Amino acid sequence: MKTSLLWNTYARDIEWFGYSVRSFQKYARGFNEAVCFVPSRDRALFHPICEGAGIKLRCEEEWPGAGFLFHEFWQCSADQLCEGDVIFHIDADTCFARPVTPLDWMKDGKIVVPFKRFADYDQEFGPKMWKPTVDIAIGGDVQLSTMITPPYVHYREVYEVTRASVTDRHPEGFRDYVRSCKNDFPQTFCEFETLGATAQNLFHNDYRWHDVDKDGNPFRDYVAEGWSHGGLDLVTDRFCGLTARQKFASIGL
């Protein structure tokens, strides 16, 4: 089974990306390929880092005025960017914090998916707000929230089925549907919750489902997940009083 690691990012997060790549070089082993996708205008900025780390660089022209939706569209089209049978999505502001291999996210040959139930979130604003975007995109009544801890991991087949499911409900097609959604936060399309809904509805037996409320989050210590909008030098709620730069230094980056 071939595995791919994918960053989908852009120029503003280039410094974060540098830390994430260093964590990949220091701690990650066993991935068959690593891929970075950016808007075409950012190719020259990312090329030296990717070339030096053996990362394949992929580019497309960004949608004018809809940069985040463009980003989400290509997350759901990762099978067109990567060769792997299993694709791992990691954000530019997220670093591996310990030695890892793809097998750490698998059990008995199946991908492990941490989840919470949408119904168990107390606040409407936050993770729960993505549920209606999924229900509108593909229909039905999605139950499990899977956007818990990166990297988010899916089988290659899930991407094409997700796009087809959206097209079945929205005859304008997947690309035009995503592009028609609200680009500003909170967006009216959510890529990883939509992929997660396809996984739980149509590929349920191909995954191992891990209830984090019942059994804890098995992947919390595998990564240091930052918040790029806050910057590398802002103390946020992510790292117990440390800035992201300080946290990354503490794990050897």
Side-chain angles (χ1 to χ4, degrees):
M1 181 178 293
K2 294 180 64 176
T3 56
S4 300
L5 180 67
L6 175 64
W7 289 268
N8 183 343
T9 187
Y10 71 136
R12 198 184 73 175
D13 288 347
I14 184 70
E15 191 174 9
W16 289 89
F17 179 67
Y19 279 102
S20 190
V21 169
R22 289 197 289 277
S23 80
F24 163 69
Q25 293 175 300
K26 182 178 179 71
Y27 289 125
R29 299 292 183 271
F31 289 94
N32 296 105
E33 69 169 358
V35 179
C36 176
F37 176 79
V38 298
S40 295
R41 65 169 185 269
D42 298 334
R43 175 187 288 274
L45 187 63
F46 280 83
H47 180 264
I49 298 175
C50 291
E51 185 177 45
I55 297 169
K56 299 175 183 178
L57 185 59
R58 303 281 187 261
C59 305
E60 292 286 341
E61 292 295 326
E62 188 177 79
W63 300 341
F68 198 85
L69 295 173
F70 168 84
H71 168 91
E72 292 191 298
F73 171 85
W74 281 104
Q75 296 286 47
C76 292
S77 304
D79 57 321
Q80 298 178 13
L81 301 172
C82 301
E83 298 176 359
D85 305 300
V86 176
I87 299 173
F88 291 68
H89 297 257
I90 190 167
D91 291 333
D93 60 6
T94 300
C95 292
F96 294 111
R98 47 162 281 180
V100 297
T101 77
L103 293 178
D104 289 320
W105 282 270
M106 305 189 78
K107 183 177 181 181
D108 301 325
K110 297 182 178 183
I111 296 168
V112 178
V113 180
F115 72 87
K116 291 173 64 77
R117 292 173 179 81
F118 278 114
D120 291 340
Y121 286 112
D122 294 329
Q123 303 296 321
E124 293 298 321
F125 188 84
K128 193 173 185 177
M129 67 189 177
W130 303 123
K131 175 179 167 30
T133 74
V134 178
D135 293 343
I136 292 169
I138 63 173
D141 181 18
V142 64
Q143 297 297 306
L144 307 182
S145 170
T146 62
M147 200 162 62
I148 305 296
T149 301
Y152 307 115
V153 189
H154 288 292
Y155 297 105
R156 182 178 196 83
E157 294 79 10
V158 169
Y159 300 89
E160 184 175 3
V161 173
T162 297
R163 298 191 299 269
S165 296
V166 174
T167 298
D168 285 345
R169 189 168 176 83
H170 302 276
E172 66 269 35
F174 180 72
R175 177 186 290 267
D176 287 346
Y177 173 74
V178 173
R179 196 165 183 172
S180 75
C181 291
K182 178 186 172 188
N183 186 66
D184 298 327
F185 181 86
Q187 290 78 21
T188 51
F189 180 76
C190 182
E191 76 280 53
F192 289 122
E193 293 293 11
T194 305
L195 290 165
T198 299
Q200 64 195 265
N201 293 338
L202 300 175
F203 295 85
H204 193 88
N205 292 334
D206 296 321
Y207 290 80
R208 293 285 186 182
W209 298 91
H210 184 96
D211 187 338
V212 299
D213 285 334
K214 179 181 178 182
D215 299 314
N217 187 339
F219 305 130
R220 183 181 304 277
D221 296 331
Y222 286 33
V223 296
E225 182 184 4
W227 182 52
S228 62
H229 293 283
L232 281 156
D233 298 305
L234 178 71
V235 175
T236 68
D237 60 354
R238 299 294 173 99
F239 299 133
C240 300
L242 297 178
T243 68
R245 200 184 303 275
Q246 290 169 333
K247 175 63 177 180
F248 296 159
S250 76
I251 58 175
L253 305 179

